[in-house]
Amino acid sequence: MTATGAMWHNWARTEKVRPLRVERPRTTAAVQRAVRAAAGSGIPIKAVGAGHSFTGIAIAPGIQLELEDLVGIVGQPTSDGLVTFLAGTRLHQIPRLLAPYGLAMENLGDIDAQSISGAVSTGTHGTGARFTGIAGQVRGVVMVTATGDLLEVNDEASPELLPAVALGLGALGILAEVTVQCVPRFLLQAVEQPEPLDDVLDTALERAGTADHFEFYWFPHTRTALTKTNTRLPVGAKRKPLNPVSRFIDDSVLANGLYRVTCATGVVVPPLIPRVNRLAEKLTGNRSFTDLSHRVFTTKRTVRFREMEYGIPAEHVPAAVRDIEALIGSRGWRISFPLEVRFAAADNLWLSTAHGRPTGYIAVHRYYRERPTAYFAAVEAILRGYGGRPHWGKMHTQDATGLAGEYPHFADFLAARDRLDPRRLFSNPYLDRVLGH
Ligand SMILES: Cc1cc2nc3c(=O)[nH]c(=O)nc-3n(C[C@H](O)[C@H](O)[C@H](O)COP(=O)(O)OP(=O)(O)OC[C@H]3O[C@@H](n4cnc5c(N)ncnc54)[C@H](O)[C@@H]3O)c2cc1C
């Protein structure tokens, strides 16, 4: 289907564009035709996922490809759990697709609205010091290149390109299929509880190292962190799911709903934020439940916000959080959203924020009606001081010059881009900024 572009905006309302044309290919061959036509007329072309990046990475001023019709599993999973998804498959569709095979994704982030291609292309990750982000689970792709040809990349075909195309920022081609290493279905036992911030910072590295999935939230203006520790259990273990009513009360009313009140109040009366944060501290946390992995990893986010997140060497996490706490205290800001702190294993993908080092992630958020600039800029300076690398899909101010020094294989990625997309058919202003023209 082809349509003249209506105004497109991302989930966070930080970016918008009116594409010249929107196309909704139903087959890989149709994606190839669209790319060939775009190349022939010199119009840039770009696939968009669920629009859940906070940056302009998905902006498509020329032809915007929507891949909602390219959904599902290609063929059968292999006996060792390799599953090939069509590129437009959304993460929330995956549990149902994998259920007949007794498989699951190894690790997930906070939400499941994203497309598999968008998630891997920006380095989306969850938490777990022994687990990589989602792109680290990719074992192969089929990609439509700038000539409209199909390029297969996996262990046997062009394997040298896998560290680039598995996390390619959408800059190397249009993914048509993504092959992911899945694992047998499993349960997660979740324990969520408020704890003194100092104790959490003193023990965070050790706990991240011993737990399967450890993370914590710190509400500015309080001395409390909400810890979340998830333990992997076999699928046959006893389930103790949250009942739908208490899930609704915890997630929709207390978490998202309270943020809504906090944030709306904070915009009007900023001095109230510390008091409301202390209320949030009392009302959230302290629950334990066991359920299928995807139901525990992901939650719904109904309050719109803006986010910046940096990956830093894991060992610096406690010091960096203390620096941010001191910063907020010294500037007198009223910050309604918590900091989120997560961990991931090192991987070998050229543009992964966890490339070559065990990583701690620190994310800061602001309600979408508050200006994030000063807070994010000051936190960014702190995290860059620790060798931080910004999440490609979350707000930051870095460009290619600064980023080149943070990634040992930055030049290799640029060389792959020069080879695969010499005319920059897949580029946009964000990619020009972070990769150069
Ligand atoms: C509420 C919320 C919660 C979030 N939670 C997390 C989290 O827990 N962890 C985390 O790491 N991130 C998180 N993010 C960030 C998010 O996961 C990433 O920004 C992700 O890229 C969004 O996926 P998408 O499908 O919306 O992709 P888009 O934002 O639509 O696109 C991202 C990039 O992927 C490219 N792309 C999409 N499809 C293709 C394709 N077929 N071929 C080539 N390139 C393609 C686009 O061109 C673009 O470059 C969150 C974002 C929001 C809004």
Side-chain angles (χ1 to χ4, degrees), residues 86-372:
L86 286 169
T89 306
R90 300 287 167 105
L91 298 184
H92 64 83
Q93 296 170 317
I94 289 182
R96 189 176 40 80
L97 292 169
L98 292 182
Y101 306 104
L103 293 170
M105 297 281 286
E106 183 182 63
N107 197 6
L108 287 170
D110 283 346
I111 59 159
D112 58 8
Q114 308 95 318
S115 64
I116 184 72
S117 300
V120 303
S121 297
T122 55
T124 294
H125 62 88
T127 194
R130 285 186 287 112
F131 300 92
T132 66
I134 299 177
Q137 302 159 28
V138 172
R139 297 292 174 267
V141 305
V142 174
M143 194 170 76
V144 179
T145 66
T147 54
D149 294 320
L150 287 184
L151 175 68
E152 210 177 319
V153 179
N154 55 42
D155 268 358
E156 281 150 23
S158 304
E160 73 287 354
L161 282 177
L162 195 60
V165 298
L167 199 168
L169 312 192
L172 304 177
I174 309 290
L175 299 173
E177 297 174 11
V178 182
T179 300
V180 175
Q181 177 68 64
C182 295
V183 298
R185 267 183 139 195
F186 61 101
L187 306 186
L188 283 173
Q189 179 193 44
V191 176
E192 303 179 357
Q193 57 193 26
E195 300 179 51
L197 176 65
D198 286 324
D199 293 355
V200 173
L201 291 178
D202 289 344
T203 57
L205 299 179
E206 189 193 324
R207 292 168 76 175
T210 50
D212 288 330
H213 305 275
F214 174 75
E215 70 181 299
F216 67 90
Y217 293 85
W218 168 61
F219 286 89
H221 320 294
T222 75
R223 298 292 301 149
T224 303
L226 174 66
T227 60
K228 295 192 174 195
T229 308
N230 292 339
T231 304
R232 297 165 87 97
L233 298 174
V235 74
K238 192 166 161 34
R239 292 186 205 180
K240 194 175 143 254
L242 282 176
N243 75 51
V245 176
S246 67
R247 180 183 275 272
F248 174 76
I249 291 175
D250 282 356
D251 290 344
S252 301
V253 181
L254 289 184
N256 287 301
L258 189 67
Y259 283 143
R260 203 189 301 279
V261 175
T262 315
C263 297
T265 315
V267 169
V268 185
V269 200
L272 286 184
I273 286 178
R275 258 195 277 164
V276 186
N277 276 10
R278 285 193 285 274
L279 181 64
E281 169 194 4
K282 287 209 185 74
L283 291 178
T284 51
N286 258 331
R287 63 182 187 178
S288 169
F289 56 100
T290 304
D291 208 341
L292 282 169
S293 55
H294 64 275
R295 294 192 189 142
V296 178
F297 280 136
T298 64
T299 51
K300 296 261 175 288
R301 295 292 152 99
T302 58
V303 178
R304 217 176 289 284
F305 56 82
R306 290 169 176 179
E307 180 172 350
M308 180 183 76
E309 181 175 54
Y310 266 71
I312 63 173
E315 68 268 23
H316 297 316
V317 161
V321 173
R322 288 195 165 100
D323 288 354
I324 296 170
E325 185 188 18
L327 169 80
I328 294 172
S330 70
R331 297 288 181 94
W333 291 322
R334 300 286 185 251
I335 306 297
S336 50
F337 267 80
L339 249 74
E340 185 178 12
V341 179
R342 294 182 277 183
F343 298 88
D347 64 43
N348 65 355
L349 306 178
W350 291 347
L351 292 191
S352 168
T353 45
H355 180 91
R357 65 193 196 192
T359 293
Y361 289 101
I362 299 184
V364 289
H365 312 74
R366 287 218 92 163
Y367 187 46
Y368 81 114
R369 287 173 58 204
E370 293 168 325
R371 275 178 65 80

